[in-house]
Amino acid sequence: MEFGYTLLCEQTPPKQLVTDLVEAEEAGFAYSVISDHYFPWLESQGHSAYAWSVLGALAQATHHIPLMTFVTCPIMRYHPAVVAQKAATMGVLSDGRFTLGLGAGENLNEHVVGRGWPSVDVRHEMFAEAVEIIRGLFGGGYVNYRGRHFTVDSAKLYDLPDEPVRIGMAAFGPRAGRLAAEHADLLISDQPVPEVVELFRDEGGAGKPVYGQIPVAFGHDYEECRQRAHSTWKFSAPAWKVMAELPGPANFEAATKTVRPEDVVESVPCGDDVDDYVEAVQEWADAGFTHISFCQSGPEHQKDFRTWAEADLLPALRERFG
């Protein structure tokens, strides 16, 4: 397995995102991912940098660590032809280190363009069309497209990396898993879903990487870590069927008023016991994941996590998982 570092734009100021990854590269993380939001999940998180501006800075500030969106929605806020252009430019700027991670999105971020929020069936139709358009433009020729949801009129990308940007697709259920098997170079999920991984591999994704993410709350005071995990990650307790539909941070605050710290820490390793983190990764390894990134809770706790990870966590993970 390979182990990465997550840049969570919803909790961290833009300039710190850059310095965090420079130091994560030095600490030995194998790759990085960055969230792509318009809003934070919660008002208390307080940030939401434009991921693509940050990515341009990251491409110049780092040397070898791979970069990836986790994930970009190409169906509303961004037209897929524009997503293809900026992803190709990132491929050039990063000397081939960039992977385009895509997902079907959340109302939280997409409602800002005022087009309403489609049903999940329509979103998946839009998602499939968007990936077809992006893949076509990565081929380098002119693209004309007339789909049910998208139209492209004689588009062409003039700046392309030497090798096409890899496309990852997020999937949490069988329908999205089949889309990923058909269209993607890799699968993405923030839940350990062995049945989706198996379907992905059976229907065309055999041998392709599978990327996951584990939220963590590292620190030496376990109780403080529990409270920090709760304040950072309580938004995720309702699960994706609810999370994809709520329109704003205030709605997430209301929906999670009854979420307790113990409800969160079941899926968020806390404290400084390496074994807890290794066992958390084991669940993902058993589900067939090949890549796991860690998302540390709290911008002011990033450096401490990187120092500990370099000295203790990453060596232990490599010893267990290779």
Side-chain angles (χ1 to χ4, degrees):
M1 297 183 77
E2 292 191 3
F3 303 101
Y5 188 88
T6 297
L7 299 169
L8 190 65
C9 289
E10 301 92 282
Q11 71 169 1
T12 305
K15 287 186 177 180
Q16 184 183 329
L17 292 168
V18 178
T19 57
D20 280 346
L21 191 59
V22 168
E23 295 184 9
E25 181 179 57
E26 295 171 352
F29 286 91
Y31 69 98
S32 67
V33 303
I34 186 170
S35 59
D36 185 356
H37 271 235
Y38 197 92
F39 277 101
W41 297 101
L42 304 167
E43 290 288 348
S44 57
Q45 291 177 329
H47 294 281
S48 191
Y50 182 54
W52 293 88
S53 296
V54 177
L55 281 162
L58 295 173
Q60 301 307 300
T62 59
H63 300 289
H64 57 79
I65 191 168
L67 311 169
M68 178 178 176
T69 50
F70 201 97
V71 290
T72 289
C73 175
I75 67 171
M76 296 191 71
R77 181 169 42 119
Y78 307 134
H79 190 283
V82 177
V83 173
Q85 183 190 29
K86 58 191 179 182
T89 300
M90 271 304 304
V92 174
L93 289 174
S94 67
D95 294 320
R97 290 185 283 143
F98 179 67
T99 296
L100 176 62
L102 298 172
E106 303 93 19
N107 193 12
L108 173 73
N109 299 305
E110 307 307 315
H111 78 270
V112 297
V113 295
R115 293 175 54 196
W117 186 231
S119 69
V120 65
D121 289 347
V122 172
R123 297 199 303 266
H124 280 111
E125 290 176 2
M126 297 174 74
F127 194 22
E129 286 191 14
V131 177
E132 289 178 2
I133 291 166
I134 293 167
R135 183 76 75 184
L137 285 164
F138 283 174
Y142 280 96
V143 171
N144 289 280
Y145 190 91
R146 300 290 185 273
R148 179 177 177 184
H149 303 284
F150 294 108
T151 299
V152 178
D153 183 9
S154 192
K156 179 180 178 178
L157 301 180
Y158 281 81
D159 288 291
L160 291 163
D162 293 336
E163 297 292 332
V165 171
R166 293 192 309 165
I167 295 174
M169 293 177 68
F172 312 103
R175 182 180 304 169
R178 290 188 179 94
L179 280 176
E182 180 178 358
H183 295 287
D185 300 306
L186 56 99
L187 179 69
I188 298 168
S189 181
D190 69 352
Q191 300 294 321
V193 281
E195 66 283 358
V196 177
V197 175
E198 183 176 2
L199 183 151
F200 171 73
R201 289 179 169 150
D202 287 346
E203 300 202 9
K208 296 180 179 179
V210 181
Y211 281 69
Q213 174 180 272
I214 298 178
V216 301
F218 167 77
H220 300 297
D221 182 334
Y222 182 78
E223 185 55 36
E224 184 277 329
C225 291
R226 288 179 77 253
Q227 295 303 320
R228 178 158 36 94
H230 175 254
S231 65
T232 304
W233 297 102
K234 63 181 180 179
F235 73 83
S236 64
W240 275 109
K241 286 189 177 180
V242 175
M243 292 169 63
E245 306 299 331
L246 297 179
N251 305 95
F252 278 91
E253 294 282 4
T256 56
K257 278 187 175 179
T258 60
V259 176
R260 306 165 299 171
E262 52 264 39
D263 300 324
V264 174
V265 299
E266 290 179 0
S267 57
V268 181
C270 296
D272 58 3
D273 188 334
V274 170
D275 290 341
D276 290 342
Y277 293 74
V278 172
E279 291 310 310
V281 171
Q282 184 67 59
E283 180 182 6
W284 295 75
D286 292 343
F289 284 73
T290 61
H291 293 68
I292 292 292
S293 65
F294 295 96
C295 189
Q296 163 71 333
S297 306
E300 68 277 15
H301 299 278
Q302 298 296 316
K303 183 178 285 290
D304 288 345
F305 172 68
R306 290 191 298 269
T307 300
W308 174 75
E310 180 178 14
D312 298 318
L313 178 60
L314 292 176
L317 291 171
R318 291 166 187 148
E319 182 177 354
R320 169 74 73 90
F321 302 104

